[in-house]
Amino acid sequence: GCMIWDDSRWDHDLLDFHKRLITLRKQSQTLQRGGFQMLLTETDTLAYQREGCDNTRFIVVAHRGEEKRAAAPLSVHHADIADGTVFTEFFSGQQLTVVDGALPLPALPQGATLWQAAC
């Protein structure tokens, strides 16, 4: 459809969400020019890592299924992520720690999560 110019009809929460993502990308050398590595591909779910440029790494986990993805560890050993690395989810602030080469992901509804950690 065409652009709705009446801002009283806009989804302001969605607009703010996109603004936060745009700001994060503009401020992060890693998201602009960092390395890319696939971590997981499953039916309806994928995860990848961006790491490098500014001593920051991000893990994006996207799930498109109608049913939640069950809580399960995400193997990160092959991505050279050390045990004890703490990741913080960008939107919720939830923190997870890598244990035995895996990030213990919670159940995931449809959508995406963005996890950030220092390298």
Side-chain angles (χ1 to χ4, degrees), residues 58 86-96 114-117:
F58 293 91
V86 176
F87 281 86
T88 302
E89 208 285 322
F90 181 73
F91 302 104
S92 70
Q94 179 182 7
Q95 291 190 323
L96 299 175
L114 175 62
W115 300 90
Q116 182 177 1

Side-chain angles (χ1 to χ4, degrees), residues 36-50 58-64 69-79 81 101-106 108 111 113 115:
F36 175 90
Q37 180 182 15
M38 289 299 299
L39 300 175
L40 171 78
T41 56
E42 296 176 342
T43 302
D44 295 328
T45 305
L46 66 86
Y48 63 88
Q49 171 184 224
R50 298 291 310 266
F58 293 91
I59 293 178
V60 176
V61 183
H63 177 67
R64 68 177 186 176
R69 177 186 184 268
L74 171 66
S75 178
V76 296
H77 177 74
H78 63 287
I81 300 174
L103 189 64
L105 292 177
L108 298 172
T113 55
W115 300 90

Side-chain angles (χ1 to χ4, degrees), residues 8-89:
S8 68
R9 295 178 46 208
W10 293 353
D11 182 339
H12 288 277
D13 290 338
L14 183 60
L15 179 61
D16 291 342
F17 170 80
H18 283 99
K19 285 180 177 180
R20 285 186 70 196
L21 288 177
I22 290 166
T23 300
L24 177 64
R25 185 170 189 282
K26 284 182 176 181
Q27 293 175 347
S28 172
Q29 294 297 311
T30 296
L31 291 176
Q32 293 175 32
R33 295 189 265 298
F36 175 90
Q37 180 182 15
M38 289 299 299
L39 300 175
L40 171 78
T41 56
E42 296 176 342
T43 302
D44 295 328
T45 305
L46 66 86
Y48 63 88
Q49 171 184 224
R50 298 291 310 266
E51 53 88 24
C53 297
D54 53 8
N55 292 322
T56 305
R57 75 173 76 233
F58 293 91
I59 293 178
V60 176
V61 183
H63 177 67
R64 68 177 186 176
E66 291 182 22
E67 300 294 323
K68 281 187 174 183
R69 177 186 184 268
L74 171 66
S75 178
V76 296
H77 177 74
H78 63 287
D80 198 30
I81 300 174
D83 283 353
T85 301
V86 176
F87 281 86
T88 302
E89 208 285 322

